[in-house]
Amino acid sequence: MLSKLKPSQRHAGALLRLVGQGSLLGDLLAEHREGEETAYYESLFAEGTGVAELIDSLTNSSSGEMRRFAPLIIERAILAERDDSEGITTVEKYLSDERDFFASDIPHYLKLTKSAIYYDISRGGDFARSGTSVMSGIENYGQAREIVGGDLLRSAMRSNSRSLKSFLERAAKGELEDGQDVYLQQVLDDASRIEGTTITSPTELLRRISNYVAERDRANRAAVVKLDGDPPRYRMAKPFSGSDLKKGIKQRYLDSMFDDGFNAPEMLGADAASDVTHYDTDMAISKKATLDREASGQEVSLDEQLRDSMSDAYGTTKVIMRSDERLQMTRRGEKSAYDPTKYEVFDRSGTEFRGLRSGFGALDIDAFVVIGPDSSDIPRLKFETAKAGCYIPIIDRKTGDVIFTPEDFDQMRARFSGLSQYGNSGYEGGSFETDLDEYHFGDRLEVPASVTDGIGSQSFSELMAGFDDKKQETVAMQNAVVMSFMDLVRNGDFPESFKRHFEMMGSSLNEQYSENAALFSTGSTGRLANVPHDGDYDFMLLLDKQDYDAVSSRLAEAMAGNYSGSLISKNWETGIRAGKLTVNGEELDLDVSIMQKTDQIATSTDSMLAERYRVMEAQNPEAYRQAIANVIIAKALMKNAGCYKKASSNGAVTGQGGIGGIGVENWILQSGGSLYDAMKSFVEASDQAIAASASDRYRAFKLFKVNYPIFDMGQNFQSRRYREQEYPYDDLTEGDRTSAGRFEIGGWEKMLEVCRETISKYEAGTN
């Protein structure tokens, strides 16, 4: 029936389903569907006006914020211009501008700011009901935008936000896209307001961010003191008090918190929501009885302070922020002047609850507090702190001891060498060199023949001699796979609009990108890090939402038939496993995953590994080849010992419980490319865990994982956890004796045995 309707009626019907009944636009559209048509709607939805196409692009956007607020944006655009003779042109421009804003590569805080305004509009104007003194005085959305934009920029700046810094660096280099100057000016205006001085250039703002990171790093290091003892203990030089702000957090949000800040629920973009108090992030101090004890001179332990606080009921990790000059204290119901340079914290009279307006930066945290030294929360806290480039202490709440020291931080930070995306810079004289530009190669990169004897692997010298031939062969194989796949799409029964995306692509792997689709290699074969003659070819195809919904299943079925592979069909991924393709007389294994593009993918697993290899090769080609050989030999050793694959791989139970291929690559690369150094550190961490566990192997395994995480430096967007918005970075030693798909105690014990034997062989072969 729908196909028999006029174009204007079809589009109106689709829009009605989107906005729903009960709104003004919904009521008007319902009348329109019933035949009470107006000239406005006839002309608005007539084919060729562009409005219908824009509505489709908004509702199928890769931006979560765009999809969340599309109904409101469309409704406002159409109703605002309904009686305007130029209405259609104006509606098209409004919708086009909003689509481009949310799709553009601009600082995420700008999108969160606009989303917060839309969220408030959708709730009928909640700012006035906010508990914060400043928010409750907002009179219009222009004023709201200034306050929210400034607050969220402060959160981003004081979280060392990658999206903000990347935008500013491009601006400083003159590399902004057309039309983005207006966003740069908005950032500079917001920054001038919250910094209390006029900021005129992106370089100046970058310098301020860098200086703040360095200032907080120095202050946090100085806040920790080392006590005599064997082993030594570490404590806070100035104990925390009950009046300091405390907050419980959930681990799943750590990545976004360390980029956007710890923001109010209404400021979370596509995930915006509200709790009891609006437009603030919940904090708490200790109850009055505890404050009275401290005032009388009694010492109150950190554990007691937390137990006597509302924050203790939420999350297993707590954050503490000292009550100091960074804060503007206000009282609910009382009018206070807006101080854009400080965090507003309001007091709900008679309780220990505190609300911090909009949110705060991750680097303004003075300490994390965990339940004990074997807390499973610790690895992610270490990783995120090191990734941000600013030391923050981690404290055992029971003992008050600092269990993540500045020295521990420096060791963790060193694992990021060669990944400038996570680097810090002084930005002096327009320099954009960071502390992570250079990869730190280990001293022992050559592997003696004694290590590879008897494991069926090529020796170090053979791997080095065959490297260039292997590289040529791999590139040729990859490009042949790409062309086979492209032919399948171009000759298949798919919409012409979908085929056009592929016509825009080139014939080699590094050219496989268009605005709507991207194809790239994700496996170790593409990085030359596979064991010889034991590699498959893994690819990822990302499609925009509209194409993914329309063709992903058909495309996967076509590939499964063409390559004789088994079909993948999940709620977030389709594709094939173990497909077969013959190239130059050699049969290849082919895995292809098809997934929907989102605006949340920042740096994927494979892109971070590829970036590190690129830096290594440019810096020292010979050492790069040696590091690759170390990776390959490590994989061969683990395969030979039966502790290579994870407990579950591609749905199959392996019984190995290892860290997998990605795990081995990260392990070696985070150890300077040296197999020997990686194994030495593995043994040392294992022995320390065993010594502290009184022969309890399961406790030893737990302690080892806490103290020796091997993180994937990119986001694993092939995992269910990523798609369900869980924490996106894999800790490749995460898991327990029952967790399928993860590192297991049996795999750890086998790896430890292999490491001990290999170290012995290594030392025998080099003496």
Side-chain angles (χ1 to χ4, degrees):
M1 289 294 294
L2 188 63
S3 62
K4 296 181 180 180
L5 296 174
K6 295 179 181 179
S8 61
Q9 292 175 304
R10 290 202 303 273
H11 294 316
L15 186 55
L16 175 59
R17 289 192 296 275
L18 179 67
V19 301
Q21 297 275 7
S23 66
L24 177 57
L25 179 58
D27 293 341
L28 291 170
L29 289 170
E31 294 176 7
H32 176 63
R33 288 292 311 282
E34 293 167 5
E36 298 179 15
E37 299 171 353
T38 66
Y40 175 69
Y41 285 114
E42 285 289 349
S43 58
L44 181 67
F45 292 120
E47 292 189 348
T49 64
V51 173
E53 288 75 11
L54 280 165
I55 289 172
D56 284 341
S57 69
L58 264 62
T59 55
N60 287 296
S61 171
S62 295
S63 164
E65 289 91 354
M66 186 75 266
R67 294 196 303 274
R68 168 75 185 270
F69 297 109
L72 177 63
I73 292 169
I74 294 165
E75 183 176 59
R76 285 172 60 81
I78 292 176
L79 289 179
E81 306 299 337
R82 184 166 176 263
D83 300 319
D84 187 343
S85 61
E86 299 296 326
I88 294 174
T89 301
T90 307
V91 170
E92 282 193 46
K93 185 178 187 311
Y94 185 92
L95 295 179
S96 178
D97 287 349
E98 293 300 272
R99 177 198 60 190
D100 293 345
F101 174 84
F102 283 105
S104 61
D105 189 9
I106 60 177
H108 195 217
Y109 97 88
L110 287 175
K111 298 181 183 182
L112 295 179
T113 300
K114 179 166 280 192
S115 296
I117 301 296
Y118 278 132
Y119 181 76
D120 190 76
I121 293 170
S122 73
R123 292 175 60 85
D126 252 1
F127 284 127
R129 295 191 289 274
S130 170
T132 80
S133 173
V134 171
M135 282 285 192
S136 61
I138 287 176
E139 297 179 352
N140 55 64
Y141 281 115
Q143 187 182 8
R145 199 260 157 244
E146 284 194 2
I147 294 173
V148 174
D151 289 349
L152 294 182
L153 175 58
R154 181 190 296 110
S155 287
M157 287 176 62
R158 296 187 178 185
S159 298
N160 204 13
S161 168
R162 296 187 299 281
S163 76
L164 175 61
K165 288 170 59 178
S166 174
F167 176 81
L168 293 173
E169 287 173 2
R170 294 198 308 275
K173 296 174 183 177
E175 297 174 354
L176 287 187
E177 298 174 10
D178 290 343
Q180 290 195 339
D181 286 346
V182 65
Y183 304 136
L184 173 61
Q185 190 58 54
Q186 183 68 76
V187 173
L188 296 177
D189 289 346
D190 287 339
S192 298
R193 193 162 52 253
I194 64 174
E195 292 290 289
T197 186
T198 302
I199 297 175
T200 59
S201 73
T203 303
E204 183 180 354
L205 185 52
L206 282 166
R207 185 180 298 113
R208 285 178 173 267
I209 295 171
S210 179
N211 289 345
Y212 194 77
V213 174
E215 175 189 326
R216 291 295 299 162
D217 183 70
R218 285 192 298 269
N220 288 341
R221 289 172 185 268
V224 176
V225 294
K226 183 178 180 180
L227 305 180
D228 292 336
D230 187 18
R233 295 169 62 197
Y234 296 82
R235 306 280 289 199
M236 299 299 293
K238 177 185 176 183
F240 292 107
S241 73
S243 61
D244 290 326
L245 298 177
K246 302 163 182 70
K247 181 178 181 64
I249 63 170
K250 293 184 177 178
Q251 290 267 310
R252 66 183 296 180
Y253 303 122
L254 274 180
D255 176 53
S256 61
M257 288 172 175
F258 266 89
D259 199 55
D260 297 323
F262 288 63
N263 294 330
E266 294 85 357
M267 314 294 185
L268 299 181
D271 298 319
S274 289
D275 56 14
V276 176
T277 57
H278 301 172
Y279 300 99
D280 66 84
T281 186
D282 294 342
M283 309 286 280
I285 61 173
S286 298
K287 293 179 181 177
K288 185 176 183 300
T290 294
L291 300 182
D292 289 344
R293 287 173 58 198
E294 288 186 331
S296 68
Q298 295 183 47
E299 183 176 335
V300 181
S301 71
L302 180 58
D303 185 48
E304 290 178 292
Q305 293 174 29
L306 290 168
R307 282 192 283 110
D308 199 32
S309 163
M310 293 173 63
S311 65
D312 210 30
Y314 188 86
T316 53
T317 295
K318 317 299 177 190
V319 302
I320 300 182
M321 187 176 178
R322 293 192 188 274
S323 295
D324 56 25
E325 68 282 352
R326 294 170 292 180
L327 310 181
Q328 176 193 13
M329 305 302 296
T330 66
R331 189 176 295 274
R332 189 174 188 180
E334 297 180 1
K335 296 296 183 183
S336 300
Y338 169 47
D339 185 346
T341 67
K342 294 187 176 184
Y343 294 119
E344 181 198 359
V345 179
F346 75 85
D347 173 9
R348 181 192 288 173
S349 301
T351 74
E352 70 272 24
F353 174 85
R354 298 290 183 271
L356 192 154
R357 187 186 73 226
S358 300
F360 61 93
L363 305 190
D364 276 321
I365 294 170
D366 290 293
F368 291 105
V369 184
V370 297
I371 57 176
D374 59 353
S375 168
S376 59
D377 291 356
I378 294 174
R380 289 181 184 175
L381 295 173
K382 290 180 177 179
F383 176 72
E384 285 296 335
T385 302
K387 183 154 66 76
C390 177
Y391 171 65
I392 301 173
I394 301 175
I395 301 175
D396 176 353
R397 66 179 288 172
K398 297 293 185 183
T399 65
D401 288 348
V402 174
I403 54 178
F404 181 55
T405 67
E407 292 78 13
D408 296 331
F409 168 85
D410 291 337
Q411 291 176 11
M412 192 75 178
R413 179 70 173 168
R415 298 189 188 187
F416 289 83
S417 71
L419 300 177
S420 59
Q421 296 94 321
Y422 300 129
N424 292 324
S425 169
Y427 298 103
E428 296 298 334
S431 168
F432 290 90
E433 294 180 358
T434 80
D435 59 328
L436 298 179
D437 283 348
E438 184 177 339
Y439 179 77
H440 302 306
F441 286 100
D443 294 329
R444 301 196 183 193
L445 294 177
E446 291 192 24
V447 181
S450 56
V451 169
T452 54
D453 285 347
I455 66 169
S457 170
Q458 288 181 312
S459 68
F460 178 80
S461 58
E462 290 170 332
L463 289 169
M464 292 295 291
F467 185 89
D468 290 335
D469 289 342
K470 179 185 177 185
K471 184 173 184 177
Q472 270 190 324
E473 176 187 333
T474 298
V475 170
M477 291 288 192
Q478 278 191 323
N479 289 341
V481 171
V482 168
M483 290 310 300
S484 173
F485 178 66
M486 302 290 280
D487 288 342
L488 178 69
V489 171
R490 289 166 177 156
N491 298 327
D493 182 21
F494 301 108
E496 289 302 315
S497 59
F498 176 66
K499 292 183 179 182
R500 279 197 294 273
H501 302 331
F502 290 85
E503 290 172 0
M504 297 169 65
M505 296 181 174
S507 59
S508 65
L509 185 62
N510 60 2
E511 298 172 328
Q512 300 307 305
Y513 183 83
S514 71
E515 182 178 351
N516 302 87
L519 176 68
F520 48 91
S521 171
T522 61
S524 61
T525 308
R527 298 186 294 273
L528 309 178
N530 62 296
V531 175
H533 311 298
D534 191 25
D536 52 13
Y537 287 79
D538 301 334
F539 291 88
M540 170 68 66
L541 174 64
L542 293 179
L543 302 176
D544 64 22
K545 184 178 186 297
Q546 196 163 8
D547 282 337
Y548 184 82
D549 291 343
V551 304
S552 59
S553 295
R554 289 162 55 192
L555 183 58
E557 289 170 0
M559 287 192 298
N562 196 66
Y563 302 127
S564 303
S566 57
L567 196 66
I568 306 169
S569 183
K570 304 175 183 176
N571 62 350
W572 76 96
E573 176 188 17
T574 58
I576 61 164
R577 288 272 186 267
K580 303 295 182 184
L581 176 66
T582 300
V583 177
N584 298 332
E586 183 175 344
E587 189 177 74
L588 308 178
D589 285 334
L590 183 64
D591 292 352
V592 182
S593 294
I594 309 170
M595 301 181 70
Q596 180 183 317
K597 290 173 65 178
T598 77
D599 62 341
Q600 299 301 309
I601 297 173
T603 48
S604 64
T605 294
D606 49 277
S607 67
M608 292 306 287
L609 285 167
E611 172 63 11
R612 177 119 66 177
Y613 284 130
R614 185 195 65 77
V615 170
M616 293 164 65
E617 185 174 22
Q619 181 179 320
N620 188 329
E622 179 68 11
Y624 156 71
R625 288 168 169 77
Q626 291 176 329
I628 290 280
N630 276 256
V631 168
I632 294 171
I633 291 170
K635 289 183 176 183
L637 287 165
M638 300 308 162
K639 284 175 180 280
N640 188 64
C643 56
Y644 174 66
K645 292 187 176 181
K646 293 180 290 185
S648 175
S649 181
N650 292 336
V653 177
T654 69
Q656 294 192 4
I659 59 176
I662 290 289
V664 171
E665 280 189 68
N666 276 290
W667 179 42
I668 301 300
L669 295 183
Q670 291 171 32
S671 302
S674 167
L675 171 67
Y676 181 83
D677 290 347
M679 289 187 162
K680 284 285 284 186
S681 64
F682 190 97
V683 170
E684 289 171 3
S686 297
D687 286 346
Q688 290 171 4
I690 292 168
S693 302
S695 301
D696 183 339
R697 58 195 286 259
Y698 291 112
R699 174 165 170 73
F701 181 46
K702 184 176 183 180
L703 281 174
F704 170 80
K705 291 182 297 176
V706 167
N707 293 314
Y708 196 82
I710 302 171
F711 271 95
D712 180 350
M713 299 301 186
Q715 298 180 1
N716 180 9
F717 54 83
Q718 288 183 269
S719 68
R720 178 189 297 274
R721 185 168 63 189
Y722 180 90
R723 288 289 146 179
E724 293 178 354
Q725 296 185 316
E726 292 284 351
Y727 189 70
Y729 294 90
D730 285 340
D731 174 2
L732 299 154
T733 61
E734 185 181 34
D736 54 39
R737 51 179 163 167
T738 61
S739 62
R742 293 294 180 191
F743 193 44
E744 291 184 339
I745 188 169
W748 169 58
E749 290 172 335
K750 284 183 181 179
M751 278 189 70
L752 181 56
E753 183 180 349
V754 171
C755 288
R756 292 192 198 279
E757 291 177 355
T758 303
I759 290 170
S760 178
K761 290 179 179 179
Y762 191 107
E763 292 175 347
T766 55
N767 290 335

